Amino acid sequence: MALSFETFDTLFDHGFDTVIDVRSPAEFAEDHVPGAINLPVLDNDERARVGTMYKQISPFQARKIGAALVFRNAASHIENHLSHHDGRWRPLVYCWRGGQRSGSFAWMLREIGWRSDTIEGGYRSFRRLVSKALYETPLPVRLVQLGGYTGTAKTELLHRIAARGVQVLDLEDLARHRGSLLGARPEGQPSQKAFETALASQLNRFDAARPVIVEAESSKIGQINLPPSLWDAMKQAHWIEISAPLAARAHYLRDTYEDVLTDTDGLRDKLEPLRFHRGHALVDHWNALIDAQDQLALCASLADQHYDPAYRRSMRAVAPRFLAKLEADSLAPQNLDKLADQIAETLHSNDSVASASVI
């Protein structure tokens, strides 16, 4: 009998040795249960072929061809990927909706002698848990936003804060994007569903009694939209703001965005749309700095004339409540360690962030 999971806790504490996603590689790539491996019983082309046959010829013909493909592929997986498991191995299998693909594979595994089971409702039931957590219920943790002008090393500070025992939610890492005009990463972003799965999984691991610090972001990181419960919690959160001189931020941006700055053609393409917002003269000035290979001056100008005005405008709209405003003369490693200590102390000194005094 298929297993039903009503909460993330019960799903993640399933007790099985391996979770197997038997959907096609394309389905798996879009999103999957965390920790699952992909052993497709129909590949992308086979799934499309069976689906077309189901609609255009007959369900019976589709099931007949599909069954042959499913058992052939399942046999190959058993022979090539699963043969090393002994009789004590317990796999949990799922497909799109807990139907024939997972049922057939789990049956075959049980016939061999392994104690396999399936997820009732398949991936769709898991997806409902994610949607419920992010779209239907308030966030179960208290957030504190880490704000500051672009180039104040906020993302790097998150890593140092986490090393000091503070709960950290790194949205840019989950979204695989650095959260700015130049923030795209070579590997690209996950799907919206995969981001939400990673986010819900991370939130589920937090201790609700302790605050969680998150970098201040807009409601969209690259092409990823922040779910309503997260965005609402961020808007209600207290802030800790970091400041540093423009020269220090320019040096930090130059080092952090070296990959973007050295791709001059790509950099020009990213800056071109700003003609509408910042004017032709300024974008022409940036292009001249690119031609001169003056990366430091370019970073200083981008910060001063593009990012900083946008940050000031957003701050007027948000009107945040500050727990602390911390300043650094430079963003050298020792200064970042000092800032991380101050942030951790600010959080630890407040028994309840929600009732902390506001600057």
Side-chain angles (χ1 to χ4, degrees):
M1 186 174 180
L3 301 180
S4 176
F5 299 102
E6 301 298 328
T7 66
F8 276 113
D9 288 335
T10 57
L11 176 60
F12 293 143
D13 293 335
H14 52 70
F16 287 80
D17 299 314
T18 310
V19 180
I20 302 176
D21 185 325
V22 298
R23 298 177 302 154
S24 68
E27 293 173 290
F28 183 82
E30 183 183 24
D31 187 34
H32 54 268
V33 173
I37 64 172
N38 188 211
L39 297 179
V41 293
L42 293 175
D43 66 24
N44 298 333
D45 293 337
E46 291 166 344
R47 178 171 176 263
R49 174 188 168 194
V50 171
T52 300
M53 185 177 296
Y54 188 94
K55 294 178 180 179
Q56 298 183 0
I57 300 177
S58 78
F60 175 76
Q61 289 294 330
R63 284 193 293 267
K64 184 169 64 173
I65 296 300
L69 293 170
V70 165
F71 282 105
R72 185 182 305 153
N73 291 329
S76 176
H77 292 319
I78 292 169
E79 182 178 14
N80 294 300
H81 300 105
L82 304 177
S83 60
H84 62 285
H85 291 295
D86 61 25
R88 295 170 296 178
W89 180 59
R90 297 185 65 220
L92 180 63
V93 185
Y94 73 92
C95 59
W96 171 250
R97 55 186 177 188
Q100 293 179 333
R101 285 186 287 177
S102 60
S104 299
F105 195 40
W107 171 84
M108 182 179 287
L109 297 179
R110 284 195 299 271
E111 288 298 298
I112 293 170
W114 288 314
R115 293 173 294 164
S116 64
D117 218 321
T118 59
I119 297 177
E120 182 179 350
Y123 167 79
R124 292 200 306 179
S125 65
F126 167 73
R127 177 62 191 170
R128 281 194 291 270
L129 290 178
V130 175
S131 296
K132 181 179 180 180
L134 300 180
Y135 288 87
E136 300 175 19
T137 57
L139 216 65
V141 296
R142 292 174 293 121
L143 299 180
V144 174
Q145 293 212 65
L146 182 63
Y149 286 119
T150 294
T152 47
K154 296 184 293 295
T155 300
E156 186 170 343
L157 279 170
L158 288 182
H159 301 157
R160 295 171 186 261
I161 297 165
R164 286 157 172 77
V166 175
Q167 295 187 127
V168 167
L169 178 60
D170 190 342
L171 293 175
E172 292 185 3
D173 183 61
L174 296 179
R176 296 204 298 266
H177 194 282
R178 287 172 286 199
S180 67
L181 171 70
L182 308 180
R185 293 183 181 178
E187 70 270 23
Q189 293 190 264
S191 70
Q192 181 71 32
K193 288 182 179 179
F195 169 79
E196 291 175 0
T197 288
L199 173 62
S201 302
Q202 179 70 65
L203 292 171
N204 188 67
R205 291 193 290 267
F206 287 137
D207 178 359
R210 298 164 51 215
V212 175
I213 194 157
V214 59
E215 183 175 346
E217 304 280 359
S218 67
S219 61
K220 193 172 185 179
I221 304 177
Q223 298 302 311
I224 297 293
N225 294 301
L226 300 187
S229 63
L230 174 62
W231 185 237
D232 289 343
M234 290 175 69
K235 288 188 293 185
Q236 297 169 15
H238 289 74
W239 279 55
I240 295 175
E241 187 175 60
I242 307 299
S243 63
L246 178 61
R249 294 192 286 128
H251 277 89
Y252 183 82
L253 288 171
R254 183 191 60 183
D255 296 340
T256 302
Y257 287 88
E258 181 181 6
D259 58 327
V260 177
L261 296 171
T262 54
D263 177 15
T264 55
D265 291 337
L267 180 57
R268 292 178 196 278
D269 291 341
K270 289 181 173 68
L271 297 177
E272 191 64 23
L274 292 182
R275 290 183 181 278
F276 177 77
H277 301 283
R278 302 302 180 196
H280 293 287
L282 183 54
V283 175
D284 288 341
H285 172 61
W286 290 337
N287 283 328
L289 293 176
I290 294 173
D291 291 336
Q293 299 183 1
D294 194 342
Q295 296 177 348
L296 191 59
L298 175 63
C299 289
S301 181
L302 283 169
D304 185 46
Q305 297 175 281
H306 171 61
Y307 288 116
D308 290 4
Y311 181 76
R312 287 191 291 268
R313 185 170 59 251
S314 68
M315 292 296 280
R316 288 194 295 270
V318 173
R321 301 168 296 166
F322 292 104
L323 290 176
K325 293 184 178 181
L326 307 177
E327 298 183 9
D329 294 332
S330 80
L331 298 171
Q334 62 272 22
N335 280 11
L336 293 181
D337 282 333
K338 181 180 178 181
L339 284 172
D341 288 337
Q342 291 175 313
I343 293 168
E345 177 57 31
T346 298
L347 295 176
H348 292 155
S349 64
N350 292 280
D351 293 333
S352 173
V353 171
S355 62
S357 59
V358 176
I359 291 178

